Amino acid sequence: MGDGTLDQQKPSFFWQIADDGWPVLALAGLLTILLTIMFVPLGTFALGMFVWLSHILRVPSRTTPQSAAVIVAPADGRVTEITKVARTNEFDPQVTEALRITIRTSLSDVQLQMAPIEGRVTDNFAIPGLFGGYEDMTAARADNERREITLTQDDGLSVMVVQLGGKTARQLVCRHHVGRFLRRGTPLGMARLAGVVELFIPADCTPQIAVGQHVLAGETAIARLPSRGRRRSSG
């Protein structure tokens, strides 16, 4: 749109494919055709893979909470960690700590990521690195490729979404330019495929989920914002 606003997308039918999923699906479709020509049983297997990819690369139908005090999950997956972290130079100098929520997306989860709050993109940049496993998250955070996306509300509160690359998550995608306004639950990007997403929010937010819980992007309320008088930024 001309004013930089992007409305929340709603799928017109169940199998609508996310924009960032089409390159993967197109390659899978071409492979399916070639294998079918070469050997039908292989083509049948490839067709099954194509259907599976269509399922995880779709735009899911989600009901996004309307409360402005709610932060929703940015990705589908299982919550593996909820911890307070000390301020680093990634955060605003006035912030002493933030709450980090780690979500691990599997190959059976929908891969599309969604905006956790309503606000403008104030940062979106990739940091080159390795594509190691997630067994040692300390090493993965330090060495793996990542993309950091910061969203800031009109009242100044900001959160940061970090896409963390891995053995299967080789492409970290977010095509929204700085200044673009996103509504809560709007498609944000994708880690192709099955990566880790970490959400950094103000430390005085109240978590609404627990470690081990499975969350849905754009639908699961994972934290509640503090009252206006106590709000701080974490982006």
Side-chain angles (χ1 to χ4, degrees):
M1 294 186 179
D3 62 355
T5 298
L6 185 66
D7 291 330
Q8 183 174 344
Q9 295 182 10
K10 291 293 184 181
S12 57
F13 58 95
F14 184 75
W15 291 108
Q16 180 180 345
I17 304 302
D19 290 344
D20 293 323
W22 275 113
V24 177
L25 201 61
L27 182 61
L30 178 61
L31 183 62
T32 298
I33 294 172
L34 292 176
L35 289 177
T36 301
I37 294 173
M38 294 171 56
F39 188 51
V40 173
L42 280 178
T44 303
F45 173 78
L47 179 60
M49 296 292 289
F50 181 85
V51 173
W52 162 69
L53 284 170
S54 299
H55 177 72
I56 67 171
L57 295 174
R58 75 187 193 278
V59 179
S61 179
R62 299 284 163 84
T63 301
T64 302
Q66 296 303 306
S67 173
V70 167
I71 299 175
V72 298
D76 280 30
R78 195 161 302 281
V79 178
T80 60
E81 185 180 347
I82 303 172
T83 186
K84 288 186 177 180
V85 294
R87 178 181 65 82
T88 70
N89 57 11
E90 294 175 333
F91 302 126
D92 187 286
Q94 296 182 353
V95 178
T96 57
E97 60 182 0
L99 189 66
R100 181 178 67 205
I101 300 175
T102 305
I103 301 171
R104 176 76 180 271
T105 300
S106 74
L107 286 170
S108 62
D109 290 314
V110 172
Q111 303 297 304
L112 184 64
Q113 298 162 359
M114 301 186 182
I117 64 170
E118 181 172 294
R120 294 193 181 275
V121 179
T122 51
D123 258 327
N124 177 11
F125 59 92
I127 300 174
L130 305 176
F131 293 98
Y134 302 125
E135 295 81 8
D136 183 347
M137 283 300 297
T138 299
R141 292 182 182 111
D143 300 333
N144 283 15
E145 183 163 320
R146 67 185 187 273
R147 177 177 290 275
E148 299 182 357
I149 308 152
T150 302
L151 297 175
T152 303
Q153 295 184 159
D154 289 340
D155 62 3
L157 181 139
S158 63
V159 304
M160 182 168 66
V161 177
V162 178
Q163 301 172 332
L164 194 61
K167 291 180 179 178
T168 59
R170 298 286 178 139
Q171 295 176 312
L172 308 178
V173 183
C174 177
R175 305 186 192 281
H176 298 305
H177 58 75
V178 171
R180 172 69 62 86
F181 181 85
L182 301 179
R183 300 188 187 281
R184 185 186 295 102
T186 294
L188 180 66
M190 186 178 292
R192 299 192 296 233
L193 294 167
V196 163
V197 171
E198 296 199 303
L199 178 65
F200 292 83
I201 60 178
D204 48 0
C205 288
T206 304
Q208 303 293 299
I209 39 83
V211 171
Q213 181 176 338
H214 191 274
V215 297
L216 298 177
E219 180 168 300
T220 304
I222 62 172
R224 182 167 290 276
L225 293 168
S227 60
R228 288 184 178 273
R230 298 189 299 115
R231 288 188 180 181
R232 295 183 296 176
S233 172
S234 66

